[in-house]
Amino acid sequence: MELSRKKRLSSLLFVVLVLLAALFLVPILIVFLNSFKTKFSIMGSPFKLPTKETFAGFENYVSGVKSAGIAGAFGRSLFITVLSVLVLALLTSMTAWYLVRVKSSVSRLLYNTFLFSMIVPFQMVMYTMTFVVTKLKFNNPVGIIFVYLGFGAGLSVFMLSGFVKSIPLELEEAAEIDGCNPVQKFFMIVFPILKPTAITVTILNAMWIWNDYLLPYLILGTGNKTLPVAIQIAMQGAYGAVNWGGFMAMLVLAILPIIVFYLFCQRYIIEGVIAGAVKG
Amino acid sequence: MLPTLAAFAAFFIVPFIMGIYLSFNKFTTVSNAEWIGFGNYAKAFSNSDFLRALGFTSLFTVVSVITVNLFAFLLALALTSAVRGKNVFRTIFFMPNLIGGIVLGYIWNLIINGVLANFGVDISYSAKYGFWGLVVLTNWQLIGYMMVIYIAGLQNIPRDLHEAAEIDGATRFQTLKNVTVPMLMSSITICTFLTLTNSFKLFDQNLALTAGAPARKTAMLALDIYNTFYGRAGWQGVGQAKAVIFFLIVALIAFAQLKITSSREVES
């Protein structure tokens, strides 16, 4: 009696969850479906399925990619994201290791400044940062990698140093006795142990940099646009003559890679979220 | 080590200090700054766009924090019970979080305008549409993320506590209120803090969904600061002053959160 009631409750819950899951997926699905409709059948009736008259095949993808320079933007986003997260993972690991191992008032001050940078909103520094970046001529797709190093250092150093503290000092001392110099010690002992945390940090950074809009817009402008910048420009720069079909195709191209990435590395992403929450 | 410090100093520390200094100056480019004391702050506080953005942002933040956390908590409870397909559900609910703010904004712009088209209007018709549009968007984006944190918290509660409550004859609601919620306090603090700062600092979504329409009534603080900097010649100093005020509010929230968390840790 009690058991069957529990069972019924659980099936009811299941049905509710299925409906909710559908509700969560529908917005993505709508964009996907509309990317296959002709451009005049999107606005006004975005909820209609493509019919024989309104089905456009891959035409939107062809026109969208051609007109807005999306292929270049896609490649640029990929280049900036991949290199930035690699540079961040390697260099902030070293920084975290140094700050934890060298105990001085300077290293403590530096660590606290890194922490502090995490709570400063971007608007506080956006104008002056753009000025400095332009003055130093870092306003290009390679230079922006170092801007991301500066901005991402706070969270990365914070999460990594929490982990460095748990590495037994004996390991490093043993390596020293065996004749390792500091560089060898870092690459052969410290970094391999840090790897799981470095992967977590890398995933959090990748999601941030791939989707970032304002920083690349201010620094690279419209000449070297990344994918989010290209999307914003396609919408705002067109003055009423938006190619809705091409626009839908662009949205799909921005969403698809990150969803595929998610489906493959889901375990790491979820772990990253939990680790980030516990530490943050 | 050194490249990190150089990048951090050049792109964060120096701009931060310059930002504070410039908020007391009148300037159009950084090089023609002229000291005017608190003039920019006086202008910021008497600027109706800024005050309206502050009100809009605060109201939006309160509504979002409550709705996101309530739904995320309920979903986490559902997904830690004996229901089928937990992993698939978790995967789906988390998915919107991966999509960038600009893209999120345009997805919902399309959907909301599609619905409103039936009534012959669009999202820029009334500030109410923009407000609730942003709330729905933020819920869609953040619920899955907070849900994951709540699930981790729920799984950390020792089983014997629930069993003890059951033996003592507690009802389901009593167990929830007296065992689950107190044991989950650290997750609740973290999620509240994350939704609070995320909603308060919202920019991309705001820009893509409404861009402030109608007549800047749905512009949040971050967007208002952006507009002051880049949309109004001679007002850069005021923009910087607004940014300092914005920073102080965010810092205050973070500081309060830190205090609350550490006092709770002493208790447990």
Side-chain angles (χ1 to χ4, degrees):
Chain A
M1 186 52 191
E2 172 70 8
L3 202 73
S4 77
R5 223 195 87 196
K6 253 191 180 161
K7 243 189 183 159
R8 242 184 298 150
L9 211 67
S10 154
S11 350
L12 182 72
L13 188 64
F14 183 73
V15 174
V16 173
L17 285 172
V18 168
L19 289 176
L20 276 173
L23 210 62
F24 266 71
L25 284 178
V26 155
I28 301 175
L29 222 63
I30 287 177
V31 172
F32 189 71
L33 284 176
N34 276 298
S35 74
F36 291 103
K37 280 163 47 174
T38 52
K39 56 185 169 190
F40 300 112
S41 57
I42 294 169
M43 269 309 270
S45 56
F47 308 122
K48 290 203 179 105
L49 290 173
T51 61
K52 228 185 232 161
E53 294 88 59
T54 60
F55 182 71
F58 282 96
E59 187 192 298
N60 292 327
Y61 287 86
V62 176
S63 76
V65 166
K66 260 194 204 148
S67 65
I70 285 299
F74 188 92
R76 202 170 292 115
S77 276
L78 200 65
F79 171 82
I80 293 172
T81 307
V82 169
L83 282 180
S84 301
V85 297
L86 290 180
V87 167
L88 266 165
L90 186 67
L91 294 184
T92 57
S93 297
M94 286 188 195
T95 313
W97 179 53
Y98 180 86
L99 289 182
V100 171
R101 287 298 178 238
V102 178
K103 289 208 166 63
S104 68
S105 50
V106 175
S107 68
R108 209 166 308 122
L109 178 73
L110 273 174
Y111 179 73
N112 285 330
T113 318
F114 277 122
L115 281 196
F116 171 75
S117 76
M118 289 199 294
I119 62 158
V120 176
F122 184 67
Q123 275 70 24
M124 173 67 206
V125 292
M126 78 179 168
Y127 188 84
T128 45
M129 185 272 298
T130 313
F131 173 79
V132 173
V133 168
T134 316
K135 265 274 143 78
L136 297 177
K137 299 214 165 29
F138 273 68
N139 50 350
N140 53 65
V142 176
I144 198 173
I145 293 165
F146 294 93
V147 180
Y148 274 123
L149 174 63
F151 269 88
L155 179 75
S156 304
V157 166
F158 176 56
M159 286 186 68
L160 286 162
S161 23
F163 202 77
V164 171
K165 283 178 195 148
S166 67
I167 301 176
L169 252 182
E170 288 81 8
L171 266 181
E172 292 177 37
E173 283 163 1
E176 224 166 285
I177 294 166
D178 289 346
C180 277
N181 62 35
V183 176
Q184 285 174 320
K185 208 161 72 178
F186 176 78
F187 282 104
M188 297 170 83
I189 310 287
V190 180
F191 197 64
I193 303 179
L194 275 182
K195 228 184 209 163
T197 315
I199 291 177
T200 303
V201 168
T202 300
I203 285 170
L204 291 179
N205 285 333
M207 281 162 53
W208 159 51
I209 297 172
W210 177 263
N211 289 323
D212 200 17
Y213 161 72
L214 193 51
L215 195 151
Y217 174 69
L218 290 175
I219 290 181
L220 303 177
T222 52
N224 277 316
K225 52 193 176 202
T226 61
L227 207 49
V229 177
I231 289 170
Q232 174 67 8
I233 293 173
M235 199 58 189
Q236 295 308 316
Y239 295 107
V242 177
N243 170 6
W244 279 93
F247 188 67
M248 289 298 128
M250 284 166 68
L251 293 184
V252 172
L253 287 178
I255 299 172
L256 215 54
I258 205 131
I259 297 226
V260 171
F261 174 68
Y262 169 59
L263 293 178
F264 278 105
C265 319
Q266 195 189 154
R267 198 170 63 90
Y268 291 107
I269 294 178
I270 302 275
E271 272 171 19
V273 167
I274 295 167
V278 172
K279 298 259 168 62
Chain B
M1 170 72 195
L2 276 179
T4 317
L5 282 188
F8 184 63
F11 305 130
F12 176 76
I13 298 178
V14 170
F16 182 80
I17 295 167
M18 275 170 79
I20 292 179
Y21 170 73
L22 284 177
S23 72
F24 296 102
N25 286 265
K26 193 174 167 63
F27 62 96
T28 47
T29 62
V30 176
S31 40
N32 65 4
E34 178 195 331
W35 185 268
I36 55 160
F38 281 93
N40 289 327
Y41 288 89
K43 259 192 186 159
F45 278 116
S46 58
N47 178 231
S48 63
D49 280 342
F50 184 61
L51 298 176
R52 186 167 52 201
L54 185 62
F56 185 89
T57 308
S58 309
L59 188 65
F60 165 78
T61 304
V62 171
V63 174
S64 301
V65 166
I66 294 171
T67 49
V68 168
N69 281 288
L70 191 67
F71 289 133
F73 179 67
L74 290 177
L75 277 183
L77 276 182
L79 292 192
T80 44
S81 72
V83 74
R84 273 175 299 160
K86 278 177 211 166
N87 287 335
V88 179
F89 285 129
R90 195 186 63 176
T91 305
I92 294 172
F93 291 138
F94 186 81
M95 208 178 274
N97 193 263
L98 303 155
I99 303 171
I102 290 286
V103 178
L104 279 173
Y106 285 120
I107 293 178
W108 282 96
N109 184 286
L110 176 80
I111 294 171
I112 293 171
N113 279 338
V115 173
L116 290 176
N118 296 323
F119 306 97
V121 291
D122 71 0
I123 195 161
S124 63
Y125 180 75
S126 152
K128 263 190 202 138
Y129 297 154
F131 180 85
W132 290 107
L134 280 169
V135 171
V136 170
L137 185 158
T138 307
N139 269 275
W140 190 63
Q141 182 188 13
L142 292 180
I143 283 175
Y145 195 95
M146 302 308 149
M147 176 197 76
V148 165
I149 299 174
Y150 280 128
I151 288 177
L154 284 169
Q155 283 166 344
N156 272 338
I157 301 177
R159 262 179 181 281
D160 9 338
L161 277 179
H162 281 142
E163 281 161 15
E166 210 172 307
I167 291 166
D168 288 346
T171 63
R172 276 178 157 226
F173 182 72
Q174 281 172 327
T175 317
L176 184 71
K177 189 176 141 243
N178 298 324
V179 179
T180 312
V181 170
M183 287 300 289
L184 213 59
M185 226 43 221
S186 67
S187 304
I188 295 173
T189 335
I190 289 158
C191 288
T192 310
F193 174 67
L194 286 175
T195 30
L196 199 68
T197 47
N198 261 312
S199 317
F200 203 78
K201 296 196 281 191
L202 207 70
F203 178 83
D204 294 2
Q205 291 86 332
N206 191 197
L207 180 70
L209 187 68
T210 69
R216 295 182 179 173
K217 279 186 192 148
T218 60
M220 295 178 60
L221 276 176
L223 184 59
D224 179 58
I225 293 169
Y226 177 84
N227 287 336
T228 315
F229 264 122
Y230 298 103
R232 209 164 166 178
W235 274 58
Q236 283 88 345
V238 184
Q240 191 59 58
K242 286 181 179 181
V244 172
I245 299 166
F246 184 48
F247 155 66
L248 289 176
I249 298 174
V250 174
L252 205 70
I253 295 172
F255 186 70
Q257 136 89 6
L258 205 70
K259 272 267 178 234
I260 295 168
T261 315
S262 57
S263 71
R264 287 226 198 282
E265 265 164 18
V266 176
E267 279 165 33
S268 57

